[in-house]
Structure formats: C-alpha cells, structure tokens
Amino acid sequence: MNITIKDIASIAGVSYSTVSKALNDSSLVKENTKRKIVKIAKDLGYEPNFAAQRLVSKNTKVIGLIWPTIERTVLATLVTKISNEMAKTPYSMILSVDPIQKSLDTFKKFQVDGVILFGENTLTEINPNSIPLISYGVSGKKNYHYPIIDANHMKAMDDAINYLYELGHRNIKYVGNISPTDPLQMEKYQGFTKAMEKYNISYTNEDILDTGGLDWYHGYHAVDKMLKSNHLPTAIVGGSYDISGGIIRSLKENNVHIPDEISVISYDNIPQMAHLEIPLTCIGVSVEELAEKIVHSAITLIETKKLDSEVTKMIPSLVERASCATVRNN
Amino acid sequence: MNITIKDIASIAGVSYSTVSKALNDSSLVKENTKRKIVKIAKDLGYEPNFAAQRLVSKNTKVIGLIWPTIERTVLATLVTKISNEMAKTPYSMILSVDPIQKSLDTFKKFQVDGVILFGENTLTEINPNSIPLISYGVSGKKNYHYPIIDANHMKAMDDAINYLYELGHRNIKYVGNISPTDPLQMEKYQGFTKAMEKYNISYTNEDILDTGGLDWYHGYHAVDKMLKSNHLPTAIVGGSYDISGGIIRSLKENNVHIPDEISVISYDNIPQMAHLEIPLTCIGVSVEELAEKIVHSAITLIETKKLDSEVTKMIPSLVERASCATVRNN
DNA sequence: GATAAGAATAACAACGTTGTTATTTAGATG
DNA sequence: CATCTAAATAACAACGTTGTTATTCTTATC
C-alpha cells in the first residue's frame, strides 16, 4: 500500500489533520512544523490519493478531449498544439478515441473538469451530462446547448476567392469532398459558391470537382480526371491539406506548372503546407490560434461557467507562399 | 449533488449496505428486494461514484495509452485498431500525448489498471511506478524491467531481401531515415545490411540513402537526388509508409516505371499501402495482429501479473501487391 | 501568578462505496 | 410452542482526504 498522511503524521508526531493542512500550506499551522512535515512527506515520496481527494469533491485539473476520428493530419496537428498550449496551464489533458457518448461516460467517471469535443460531423444528439463541454467544428445539430468554436469557413473561402480575383483569376475550380453528411465539407463548398457569386465569377457544376473522399489520392484522381478532359482553370481551390497534396502531385506529373500555368490555394492553415514540394498558399484559421482559443475557452468555461457567446467563429487568415500568381494574359 | 446508494436505501426502506449488495448482485440479498432496489436505482438514474469505489480499492477497467509522438500515420492506424480491439473487452482506453513521465503520473493518479507505452525511441529511463506496463517498439534502454512487444524488424528486412533476391534482384538500395538516436530506424537499417550480406548481395554506402526524416518528402527528395546521379538500382526498400509514398511519387514523376523498371517494397504493413497510387508490396507485422497482441498482452499482464516473455518479437509477413517484378535481363 | 486571548494543534465528521460482523426474521424440527 | 438454524437484512468500520469544531499550549496583561 501507499504512503498516507497518517504515516507522515505518526512519524512527525502530529495529528493527520495537521499534516493535511501543512501540505496544503495552510496558515493555521506553524511555519516550523510545516517545514518539518513537508520534508518528511518528501522523504517518504508521499503522493496524495487522488480518489480520496475527489471524494471530498474537488476539481481534477484535467480536461478530456474526445477525438473519434483520429486519422486526419490536420487534427493530429491541432491536438499537438492543444497539448502544448495546455502544458502552459495548470491543466492536464487526456484523450479518448471512443465514440462520443462512450468517451463522455468515461470522462464523467473520472470527473474531468471539462471536455473538448472534436465533433466535426456529429449529427446525433449528445448529452454532456452536466460536464462543461465545448465543441470544435461545425455541428449538424441545430439546437446544441454547448459553446462551439469553429472557423469561419465562409469567410475563408471568400478571402481565397478575393485573393485569386485580385490576381486576375476568373476561371476557378473547387476540388473538395462534397459530402451532404459532413457539415464541415458542405460549409466549405457553399462558401466557395457563395464567394464566386459575390465576386461575379461565373461557374458551372463542371467547376466543382467532388473528390469523394478526404485522402490525398482522392484529390489526385479528381485533378487527373480533370486534366484528361482538358478543362483547365487558371486557379484551383483545394478543400483540405491532404487533398491539395494530391492536387499538386497530379499537376506536377502532368507537367502543369505551378504557379505559372495554374495557381493553387488550399484550405487548412497548418505549418506542413510549407513542406509540400510546392509550398502552398493557404487559407484558414492557423492551428496555433485555434489551439490557444480552444484551450482558453475550455478553461474559461470551467472556471466561470460562462462563455461570451455560444458560437465563436474564428477569423481565418491567408498565408502567402509560392503557389499563386497573377493570371497570364494570352 | 448526485444520487447515492443512501438515497436509494431510504426510498426502498432498506439499509444502504443492502442496496450496495443488491446492485452488485450479491447472493446475500433476496431476489425480490434485489429487483425492487435495482428498479429504483434505474428510475433515479443512479450512477455509482467512481472515486468512492476506487477508494475502497478496486480495478478501474481502464488502460492508459501513452503516445508522445502523435503525428505518424502508422501509429494512428495502430491506435485505432487497438481501440477497436479494446472495445471487444471489458476495458476502456484513455490516451495521453504528454511526455512519458507526465503521462505516467496522470495515469497513476487515475489508477488505471495498466499502461501501454508507445515508446518508439525512448532512451531515457522510465519508472512505471508499480503500474503494469507494456511497451510497444524498440527500447534504447538495455535493462528495461517491463515486457516489450516489438516487430521482428531484422526478420522483416530479411524477408524483403529474400523476396527481392528470388525475383532476381542483385542491385538494391535502402531508402530510410538513418538516425542513431532512433533505435527503430537503426534496427531496420541494420536488418537491411545484415540481410544483404546473408544473401551475398554486394552493396556500398551509396546504396544506403539517408532521408534525414520520416515524412514523405524526405523519401521524395532522397530518390530525386538518386535519380539525378543516375545510379539506378533494380529495387528499392522503403523504410516506412510515408517515405515510400515519397519514393513512388518521385519515381513516377521521373517516368521510372514501377515495377517494370524498378521494384519497390516498403516497410510497414498497413491497409493504406493498397491505396497508394501504386499499391505497394510491403513487409511488416500487420497492424491488426499487432493491435490484438498488444491488447491481450496488456490484459494478461494486468490480470495475471505474468507474461510469457520479456520481449515478444512479432513475426512479420509480406503482402504482395503490384510494385515488385522479376528483374529484367538486359 | 492567575487569567484572558490568541495561536497551534488535535479530534472528528463527512465524502460514497465495499466487505465484515452483528442482529433480526422466518422456517423447520421435535 | 419453544428452540434451533439458516436466510435476510442492518450496522458499522474502513478506504485517504478536507474542513469544521474542540482542545491544548503560549504569551501578554494586570
């Protein structure tokens, strides 16, 4: 069995309640004895029993992160950043990759102080069960009863189109996953069409390339097919990091030069964009900002039970790299 | 506050100890009252207090997984498989992406029943702190005091070279990350040279291409450089999934046809290999097998405190796809 | 040098369970 | 119908903390 405050008490020759106070640096115990007790505790390698502490009910300083869809590069990056950000606070983080409700039950058992949910495309009702919970990403549910942090995808697409417009592009295609069951993808797609209309750029269904998936080869195949049909735009908007990786691979293999012959701008603002063989200009909320916002919102919610607004749309930014150029006048 | 067994007791008109026994389906309480109590508990939505249960000391049926390096495709797949495998057992899983010792402390606080450590390239001493712990992957430490599950990388490389040898290849290059601080990478590299010697295939330092990193573009650039130098082998062994992705991209772009002009075999046996634009023949322990072994070993260790052997080397298998062919006679 | 006030410490209840021991109840037996 | 036995339930200690209340020890004051 482990060392308890009673062990310390008997060695120090004081009562265990005094030990408790001493270890919690209470002003009720004399500096002298405090020091003595702390030293003994340290010598014995005392570790407080968490379960007992929590039984008398106190916060755990632990936040749970629910991440049901683990295999997505962008989110792995975000998790890392969140973890780093969390390390700057007194909180620790544990994750669960189980389905949402099961994760929530586990976290509730452990009495985490709060939960961050990566519920990108959650259509089912979830029941936070009285744990402070914030969600990252678009929710399909209309009547969520918890705060949501999300990127302003509409604005991001608007910025992207605006940027391309200023460079002279009037022939732009969107290459992304058009999935009616995935609100995030739908919002990007709708952001694209809306922006195109706003800037008065004509487009048809031909200009929306549905990749049918989110991996790089989905993007690869979509562009490959496009090139074979000879409908070459002056610019492409890639729907995600992985997809854009496939897009530029396909373009390179077909000797379509970026950015001279075609400009590419990608959704997802992560550092890895710079490491692609053609460093991609991208649009989106930077993961660092996102991580910071998520962590601090969670902690604010935990500590004050109040959050400014129910849905926070983070403002995206555009990072210029080498993949976009002014359109050539033929 | 939450519902406790005392609430149930007062409603049922029995003592709370009877309620406890009834809810644990003890034979000491009459079937009749048992049913009554269970019904009341259900109606009230009673949930046992985990902290209290653990204070009287019982197992948590939770296993912690420590995963400090989150951004690696192969491991994400493995985590998913482990999670699925775990779901078939009475255990749940939580993960931590914090540094090892911090993760361990967190898990110890939560009194998890056991820990799985992804300590791929852990050179520092770790202190399991009396929690049953198994580790996946090569450990740099010589004197670990916990069981290790690992793939037999040597054997895998041997199988790969043997396979290529049978296909007639005598000019083989290894493209991988040669990092003295990463035991896993070193073992693959050494497996390669050892196998080459065993099959009496001559090679020089020129045939070992150090990518200097584990991402796909590291493999891409290494092969790109190789092609420019015109030292074309008949076969390449790729050191990992990501690296091999870069390898075939580079080959394709340079119009080196796989497998007619060059054969490629990759380390890492994961389903995604089939989705690369050229489905890659690969070598390694399949993630499914690995996940099953890891989960069951962990549970065995927890429940019996005994494990067959200290280091289990899983037997790799070779999955044939479209990327290797018999060498052409010029 | 007795006494009041304040500082320091001790004692103890409480948190919600489980497991052990004590008590009550019901049923069987002569 | 008294008595013994077994079944059912109640009572209570224990797990390791924290916070509240009770007690003891100092020290200053007259």
mmCIF file of all heavy atoms in Angstrom, chain C residues 17-30:
data_model
loop_
_atom_site.group_PDB
_atom_site.id
_atom_site.type_symbol
_atom_site.label_atom_id
_atom_site.label_comp_id
_atom_site.label_asym_id
_atom_site.label_seq_id
_atom_site.Cartn_x
_atom_site.Cartn_y
_atom_site.Cartn_z
ATOM 1 P P DT C 17 -22.395 5.867 -4.272
ATOM 2 O OP1 DT C 17 -22.906 6.225 -5.572
ATOM 3 O OP2 DT C 17 -23.316 5.660 -3.133
ATOM 4 O "O5'" DT C 17 -21.491 4.569 -4.499
ATOM 5 C "C5'" DT C 17 -21.427 3.573 -3.499
ATOM 6 C "C4'" DT C 17 -20.023 3.084 -3.398
ATOM 7 O "O4'" DT C 17 -19.386 3.809 -2.351
ATOM 8 C "C3'" DT C 17 -19.959 1.626 -3.025
ATOM 9 O "O3'" DT C 17 -19.687 0.882 -4.188
ATOM 10 C "C2'" DT C 17 -18.821 1.534 -2.033
ATOM 11 C "C1'" DT C 17 -18.611 2.961 -1.551
ATOM 12 N N1 DT C 17 -18.992 3.227 -0.131
ATOM 13 C C2 DT C 17 -18.113 2.853 0.857
ATOM 14 O O2 DT C 17 -17.051 2.291 0.648
ATOM 15 N N3 DT C 17 -18.528 3.162 2.125
ATOM 16 C C4 DT C 17 -19.692 3.791 2.495
ATOM 17 O O4 DT C 17 -19.947 4.024 3.668
ATOM 18 C C5 DT C 17 -20.575 4.138 1.409
ATOM 19 C C7 DT C 17 -21.854 4.824 1.696
ATOM 20 C C6 DT C 17 -20.186 3.841 0.164
ATOM 21 P P DT C 18 -20.088 -0.631 -4.162
ATOM 22 O OP1 DT C 18 -19.793 -1.144 -5.507
ATOM 23 O OP2 DT C 18 -21.424 -0.781 -3.569
ATOM 24 O "O5'" DT C 18 -19.045 -1.254 -3.124
ATOM 25 C "C5'" DT C 18 -17.679 -1.386 -3.495
ATOM 26 C "C4'" DT C 18 -16.937 -2.091 -2.371
ATOM 27 O "O4'" DT C 18 -17.105 -1.369 -1.137
ATOM 28 C "C3'" DT C 18 -17.405 -3.511 -2.109
ATOM 29 O "O3'" DT C 18 -16.255 -4.327 -1.974
ATOM 30 C "C2'" DT C 18 -18.176 -3.417 -0.798
ATOM 31 C "C1'" DT C 18 -17.491 -2.249 -0.116
ATOM 32 N N1 DT C 18 -18.338 -1.463 0.830
ATOM 33 C C2 DT C 18 -17.892 -1.230 2.108
ATOM 34 O O2 DT C 18 -16.830 -1.662 2.518
ATOM 35 N N3 DT C 18 -18.729 -0.463 2.890
ATOM 36 C C4 DT C 18 -19.939 0.078 2.532
ATOM 37 O O4 DT C 18 -20.586 0.739 3.317
ATOM 38 C C5 DT C 18 -20.354 -0.200 1.166
ATOM 39 C C7 DT C 18 -21.657 0.336 0.672
ATOM 40 C C6 DT C 18 -19.559 -0.947 0.397
ATOM 41 P P DG C 19 -16.338 -5.874 -2.046
ATOM 42 O OP1 DG C 19 -15.190 -6.334 -2.845
ATOM 43 O OP2 DG C 19 -17.723 -6.250 -2.410
ATOM 44 O "O5'" DG C 19 -16.088 -6.290 -0.530
ATOM 45 C "C5'" DG C 19 -14.897 -5.874 0.107
ATOM 46 C "C4'" DG C 19 -14.971 -6.181 1.591
ATOM 47 O "O4'" DG C 19 -15.912 -5.272 2.221
ATOM 48 C "C3'" DG C 19 -15.479 -7.586 1.918
ATOM 49 O "O3'" DG C 19 -14.785 -8.050 3.075
ATOM 50 C "C2'" DG C 19 -16.936 -7.367 2.247
ATOM 51 C "C1'" DG C 19 -16.866 -6.026 2.940
ATOM 52 N N9 DG C 19 -18.110 -5.257 2.950
ATOM 53 C C8 DG C 19 -19.040 -5.144 1.944
ATOM 54 N N7 DG C 19 -20.048 -4.369 2.259
ATOM 55 C C5 DG C 19 -19.758 -3.940 3.558
ATOM 56 C C6 DG C 19 -20.490 -3.097 4.412
ATOM 57 O O6 DG C 19 -21.549 -2.519 4.200
ATOM 58 N N1 DG C 19 -19.829 -2.935 5.638
ATOM 59 C C2 DG C 19 -18.638 -3.516 5.979
ATOM 60 N N2 DG C 19 -18.171 -3.252 7.184
ATOM 61 N N3 DG C 19 -17.957 -4.314 5.187
ATOM 62 C C4 DG C 19 -18.571 -4.484 3.995
ATOM 63 P P DT C 20 -14.824 -9.580 3.505
ATOM 64 O OP1 DT C 20 -13.569 -10.187 3.056
ATOM 65 O OP2 DT C 20 -16.123 -10.154 3.070
ATOM 66 O "O5'" DT C 20 -14.835 -9.506 5.098
ATOM 67 C "C5'" DT C 20 -14.280 -8.365 5.755
ATOM 68 C "C4'" DT C 20 -15.005 -8.132 7.066
ATOM 69 O "O4'" DT C 20 -16.193 -7.327 6.846
ATOM 70 C "C3'" DT C 20 -15.489 -9.406 7.771
ATOM 71 O "O3'" DT C 20 -15.095 -9.324 9.131
ATOM 72 C "C2'" DT C 20 -17.012 -9.369 7.611
ATOM 73 C "C1'" DT C 20 -17.267 -7.864 7.591
ATOM 74 N N1 DT C 20 -18.522 -7.437 6.907
ATOM 75 C C2 DT C 20 -19.374 -6.568 7.561
ATOM 76 O O2 DT C 20 -19.161 -6.120 8.666
ATOM 77 N N3 DT C 20 -20.500 -6.234 6.846
ATOM 78 C C4 DT C 20 -20.845 -6.668 5.579
ATOM 79 O O4 DT C 20 -21.877 -6.298 5.042
ATOM 80 C C5 DT C 20 -19.905 -7.576 4.960
ATOM 81 C C7 DT C 20 -20.192 -8.110 3.588
ATOM 82 C C6 DT C 20 -18.801 -7.923 5.639
ATOM 83 P P DT C 21 -15.312 -10.561 10.100
ATOM 84 O OP1 DT C 21 -14.066 -10.701 10.881
ATOM 85 O OP2 DT C 21 -15.856 -11.685 9.328
ATOM 86 O "O5'" DT C 21 -16.448 -10.025 11.073
ATOM 87 C "C5'" DT C 21 -16.261 -8.764 11.728
ATOM 88 C "C4'" DT C 21 -17.580 -8.333 12.346
ATOM 89 O "O4'" DT C 21 -18.529 -8.019 11.305
ATOM 90 C "C3'" DT C 21 -18.248 -9.401 13.226
ATOM 91 O "O3'" DT C 21 -18.625 -8.784 14.441
ATOM 92 C "C2'" DT C 21 -19.435 -9.862 12.390
ATOM 93 C "C1'" DT C 21 -19.783 -8.564 11.652
ATOM 94 N N1 DT C 21 -20.584 -8.735 10.415
ATOM 95 C C2 DT C 21 -21.708 -7.968 10.255
ATOM 96 O O2 DT C 21 -22.089 -7.166 11.085
ATOM 97 N N3 DT C 21 -22.384 -8.190 9.076
ATOM 98 C C4 DT C 21 -22.046 -9.068 8.074
ATOM 99 O O4 DT C 21 -22.739 -9.168 7.066
ATOM 100 C C5 DT C 21 -20.854 -9.840 8.311
ATOM 101 C C7 DT C 21 -20.407 -10.833 7.289
ATOM 102 C C6 DT C 21 -20.178 -9.647 9.451
ATOM 103 P P DA C 22 -19.281 -9.615 15.597
ATOM 104 O OP1 DA C 22 -18.636 -9.227 16.870
ATOM 105 O OP2 DA C 22 -19.377 -11.032 15.201
ATOM 106 O "O5'" DA C 22 -20.747 -9.000 15.607
ATOM 107 C "C5'" DA C 22 -20.903 -7.598 15.826
ATOM 108 C "C4'" DA C 22 -22.367 -7.229 15.688
ATOM 109 O "O4'" DA C 22 -22.796 -7.478 14.325
ATOM 110 C "C3'" DA C 22 -23.306 -8.041 16.586
ATOM 111 O "O3'" DA C 22 -24.202 -7.130 17.191
ATOM 112 C "C2'" DA C 22 -23.987 -9.022 15.633
ATOM 113 C "C1'" DA C 22 -23.995 -8.242 14.334
ATOM 114 N N9 DA C 22 -23.960 -9.060 13.114
ATOM 115 C C8 DA C 22 -23.022 -9.997 12.773
ATOM 116 N N7 DA C 22 -23.232 -10.571 11.606
ATOM 117 C C5 DA C 22 -24.398 -9.961 11.155
ATOM 118 C C6 DA C 22 -25.148 -10.119 9.972
ATOM 119 N N6 DA C 22 -24.825 -10.983 8.996
ATOM 120 N N1 DA C 22 -26.256 -9.356 9.823
ATOM 121 C C2 DA C 22 -26.575 -8.503 10.805
ATOM 122 N N3 DA C 22 -25.946 -8.256 11.955
ATOM 123 C C4 DA C 22 -24.852 -9.030 12.070
ATOM 124 P P DT C 23 -25.219 -7.638 18.298
ATOM 125 O OP1 DT C 23 -25.321 -6.546 19.293
ATOM 126 O OP2 DT C 23 -24.848 -9.014 18.695
ATOM 127 O "O5'" DT C 23 -26.599 -7.712 17.546
ATOM 128 C "C5'" DT C 23 -27.144 -6.514 16.997
ATOM 129 C "C4'" DT C 23 -28.247 -6.882 16.042
ATOM 130 O "O4'" DT C 23 -27.727 -7.788 15.048
ATOM 131 C "C3'" DT C 23 -29.429 -7.609 16.688
ATOM 132 O "O3'" DT C 23 -30.524 -6.730 16.681
ATOM 133 C "C2'" DT C 23 -29.640 -8.847 15.821
ATOM 134 C "C1'" DT C 23 -28.833 -8.529 14.571
ATOM 135 N N1 DT C 23 -28.285 -9.697 13.819
ATOM 136 C C2 DT C 23 -28.838 -9.989 12.600
ATOM 137 O O2 DT C 23 -29.749 -9.362 12.101
ATOM 138 N N3 DT C 23 -28.266 -11.069 11.962
ATOM 139 C C4 DT C 23 -27.225 -11.854 12.428
ATOM 140 O O4 DT C 23 -26.805 -12.783 11.775
ATOM 141 C C5 DT C 23 -26.705 -11.484 13.723
ATOM 142 C C7 DT C 23 -25.584 -12.264 14.316
ATOM 143 C C6 DT C 23 -27.248 -10.427 14.358
ATOM 144 P P DT C 24 -31.839 -7.122 17.482
ATOM 145 O OP1 DT C 24 -32.400 -5.856 18.020
ATOM 146 O OP2 DT C 24 -31.525 -8.253 18.385
ATOM 147 O "O5'" DT C 24 -32.817 -7.652 16.350
ATOM 148 C "C5'" DT C 24 -33.172 -6.761 15.302
ATOM 149 C "C4'" DT C 24 -33.650 -7.587 14.142
ATOM 150 O "O4'" DT C 24 -32.668 -8.593 13.824
ATOM 151 C "C3'" DT C 24 -34.961 -8.316 14.371
ATOM 152 O "O3'" DT C 24 -35.915 -7.784 13.506
ATOM 153 C "C2'" DT C 24 -34.635 -9.786 14.082
ATOM 154 C "C1'" DT C 24 -33.364 -9.678 13.248
ATOM 155 N N1 DT C 24 -32.463 -10.848 13.264
ATOM 156 C C2 DT C 24 -32.355 -11.604 12.118
ATOM 157 O O2 DT C 24 -32.963 -11.386 11.110
ATOM 158 N N3 DT C 24 -31.479 -12.659 12.211
ATOM 159 C C4 DT C 24 -30.717 -13.007 13.327
ATOM 160 O O4 DT C 24 -29.968 -13.973 13.288
ATOM 161 C C5 DT C 24 -30.885 -12.176 14.484
ATOM 162 C C7 DT C 24 -30.128 -12.465 15.717
ATOM 163 C C6 DT C 24 -31.747 -11.135 14.405
ATOM 164 P P DT C 25 -37.475 -8.116 13.717
ATOM 165 O OP1 DT C 25 -38.232 -6.922 13.277
ATOM 166 O OP2 DT C 25 -37.645 -8.700 15.058
ATOM 167 O "O5'" DT C 25 -37.725 -9.275 12.649
ATOM 168 C "C5'" DT C 25 -37.376 -9.039 11.280
ATOM 169 C "C4'" DT C 25 -37.390 -10.354 10.564
ATOM 170 O "O4'" DT C 25 -36.289 -11.170 11.020
ATOM 171 C "C3'" DT C 25 -38.648 -11.195 10.790
ATOM 172 O "O3'" DT C 25 -39.334 -11.285 9.553
ATOM 173 C "C2'" DT C 25 -38.134 -12.548 11.291
ATOM 174 C "C1'" DT C 25 -36.667 -12.524 10.901
ATOM 175 N N1 DT C 25 -35.737 -13.310 11.761
ATOM 176 C C2 DT C 25 -35.011 -14.313 11.184
ATOM 177 O O2 DT C 25 -35.082 -14.606 10.011
ATOM 178 N N3 DT C 25 -34.166 -14.978 12.054
ATOM 179 C C4 DT C 25 -33.983 -14.713 13.416
ATOM 180 O O4 DT C 25 -33.209 -15.376 14.084
ATOM 181 C C5 DT C 25 -34.791 -13.649 13.935
ATOM 182 C C7 DT C 25 -34.678 -13.299 15.376
ATOM 183 C C6 DT C 25 -35.626 -12.991 13.097
ATOM 184 P P DA C 26 -40.767 -11.954 9.439
ATOM 185 O OP1 DA C 26 -41.501 -11.228 8.362
ATOM 186 O OP2 DA C 26 -41.328 -12.059 10.787
ATOM 187 O "O5'" DA C 26 -40.419 -13.403 8.905
ATOM 188 C "C5'" DA C 26 -39.572 -13.525 7.765
ATOM 189 C "C4'" DA C 26 -39.236 -14.983 7.546
ATOM 190 O "O4'" DA C 26 -38.274 -15.414 8.555
ATOM 191 C "C3'" DA C 26 -40.429 -15.938 7.648
ATOM 192 O "O3'" DA C 26 -40.391 -16.768 6.503
ATOM 193 C "C2'" DA C 26 -40.195 -16.704 8.939
ATOM 194 C "C1'" DA C 26 -38.687 -16.673 9.071
ATOM 195 N N9 DA C 26 -38.164 -16.720 10.435
ATOM 196 C C8 DA C 26 -38.580 -15.992 11.509
ATOM 197 N N7 DA C 26 -37.901 -16.227 12.605
ATOM 198 C C5 DA C 26 -36.981 -17.176 12.229
ATOM 199 C C6 DA C 26 -35.964 -17.847 12.938
ATOM 200 N N6 DA C 26 -35.708 -17.647 14.230
ATOM 201 N N1 DA C 26 -35.217 -18.743 12.254
ATOM 202 C C2 DA C 26 -35.467 -18.945 10.957
ATOM 203 N N3 DA C 26 -36.390 -18.375 10.180
ATOM 204 C C4 DA C 26 -37.114 -17.492 10.892
ATOM 205 P P DG C 27 -41.542 -17.805 6.194
ATOM 206 O OP1 DG C 27 -41.825 -17.759 4.750
ATOM 207 O OP2 DG C 27 -42.622 -17.648 7.189
ATOM 208 O "O5'" DG C 27 -40.782 -19.176 6.508
ATOM 209 C "C5'" DG C 27 -39.525 -19.423 5.893
ATOM 210 C "C4'" DG C 27 -38.936 -20.706 6.435
ATOM 211 O "O4'" DG C 27 -38.454 -20.487 7.786
ATOM 212 C "C3'" DG C 27 -39.938 -21.868 6.522
ATOM 213 O "O3'" DG C 27 -39.315 -23.023 5.985
ATOM 214 C "C2'" DG C 27 -40.221 -22.019 8.010
ATOM 215 C "C1'" DG C 27 -38.923 -21.519 8.628
ATOM 216 N N9 DG C 27 -39.070 -20.938 9.959
ATOM 217 C C8 DG C 27 -40.030 -20.046 10.371
ATOM 218 N N7 DG C 27 -39.887 -19.692 11.629
ATOM 219 C C5 DG C 27 -38.764 -20.401 12.056
ATOM 220 C C6 DG C 27 -38.127 -20.418 13.333
ATOM 221 O O6 DG C 27 -38.442 -19.796 14.344
ATOM 222 N N1 DG C 27 -37.013 -21.265 13.329
ATOM 223 C C2 DG C 27 -36.587 -21.993 12.252
ATOM 224 N N2 DG C 27 -35.504 -22.743 12.436
ATOM 225 N N3 DG C 27 -37.170 -21.983 11.061
ATOM 226 C C4 DG C 27 -38.253 -21.164 11.043
ATOM 227 P P DA C 28 -40.049 -24.399 5.879
ATOM 228 O OP1 DA C 28 -39.727 -24.948 4.542
ATOM 229 O OP2 DA C 28 -41.448 -24.257 6.322
ATOM 230 O "O5'" DA C 28 -39.267 -25.262 6.960
ATOM 231 C "C5'" DA C 28 -37.848 -25.393 6.852
ATOM 232 C "C4'" DA C 28 -37.318 -26.153 8.052
ATOM 233 O "O4'" DA C 28 -37.513 -25.363 9.259
ATOM 234 C "C3'" DA C 28 -37.999 -27.499 8.306
ATOM 235 O "O3'" DA C 28 -36.977 -28.448 8.586
ATOM 236 C "C2'" DA C 28 -38.883 -27.251 9.511
ATOM 237 C "C1'" DA C 28 -38.107 -26.165 10.253
ATOM 238 N N9 DA C 28 -38.904 -25.275 11.098
ATOM 239 C C8 DA C 28 -40.042 -24.604 10.741
ATOM 240 N N7 DA C 28 -40.531 -23.844 11.701
ATOM 241 C C5 DA C 28 -39.636 -24.024 12.747
ATOM 242 C C6 DA C 28 -39.587 -23.491 14.052
ATOM 243 N N6 DA C 28 -40.486 -22.629 14.531
ATOM 244 N N1 DA C 28 -38.571 -23.878 14.837
ATOM 245 C C2 DA C 28 -37.658 -24.740 14.360
ATOM 246 N N3 DA C 28 -37.601 -25.302 13.159
ATOM 247 C C4 DA C 28 -38.630 -24.897 12.394
ATOM 248 P P DT C 29 -37.296 -30.013 8.622
ATOM 249 O OP1 DT C 29 -36.163 -30.667 7.956
ATOM 250 O OP2 DT C 29 -38.682 -30.226 8.158
ATOM 251 O "O5'" DT C 29 -37.236 -30.372 10.169
ATOM 252 C "C5'" DT C 29 -36.054 -30.003 10.926
ATOM 253 C "C4'" DT C 29 -36.358 -30.153 12.395
ATOM 254 O "O4'" DT C 29 -37.153 -29.051 12.865
ATOM 255 C "C3'" DT C 29 -37.146 -31.424 12.730
ATOM 256 O "O3'" DT C 29 -36.342 -32.272 13.548
ATOM 257 C "C2'" DT C 29 -38.383 -30.923 13.473
ATOM 258 C "C1'" DT C 29 -37.968 -29.528 13.925
ATOM 259 N N1 DT C 29 -39.055 -28.553 14.120
ATOM 260 C C2 DT C 29 -39.118 -27.868 15.323
ATOM 261 O O2 DT C 29 -38.319 -28.006 16.217
ATOM 262 N N3 DT C 29 -40.173 -26.991 15.419
ATOM 263 C C4 DT C 29 -41.145 -26.739 14.458
ATOM 264 O O4 DT C 29 -42.038 -25.927 14.654
ATOM 265 C C5 DT C 29 -41.026 -27.494 13.237
ATOM 266 C C7 DT C 29 -42.025 -27.317 12.129
ATOM 267 C C6 DT C 29 -39.998 -28.372 13.116
ATOM 268 P P DG C 30 -36.723 -33.798 13.700
ATOM 269 O OP1 DG C 30 -35.463 -34.551 13.495
ATOM 270 O OP2 DG C 30 -37.921 -34.081 12.863
ATOM 271 O "O5'" DG C 30 -37.144 -33.939 15.219
ATOM 272 C "C5'" DG C 30 -36.239 -33.581 16.258
ATOM 273 C "C4'" DG C 30 -37.032 -33.157 17.478
ATOM 274 O "O4'" DG C 30 -37.881 -32.052 17.094
ATOM 275 C "C3'" DG C 30 -37.956 -34.245 18.014
ATOM 276 O "O3'" DG C 30 -37.451 -34.768 19.224
ATOM 277 C "C2'" DG C 30 -39.301 -33.553 18.247
ATOM 278 C "C1'" DG C 30 -39.047 -32.094 17.901
ATOM 279 N N9 DG C 30 -40.123 -31.468 17.134
ATOM 280 C C8 DG C 30 -40.598 -31.857 15.898
ATOM 281 N N7 DG C 30 -41.568 -31.096 15.455
ATOM 282 C C5 DG C 30 -41.747 -30.145 16.465
ATOM 283 C C6 DG C 30 -42.664 -29.083 16.546
ATOM 284 O O6 DG C 30 -43.505 -28.737 15.717
ATOM 285 N N1 DG C 30 -42.492 -28.376 17.735
ATOM 286 C C2 DG C 30 -41.571 -28.677 18.732
ATOM 287 N N2 DG C 30 -41.572 -27.881 19.788
ATOM 288 N N3 DG C 30 -40.727 -29.665 18.662
ATOM 289 C C4 DG C 30 -40.864 -30.372 17.507
#
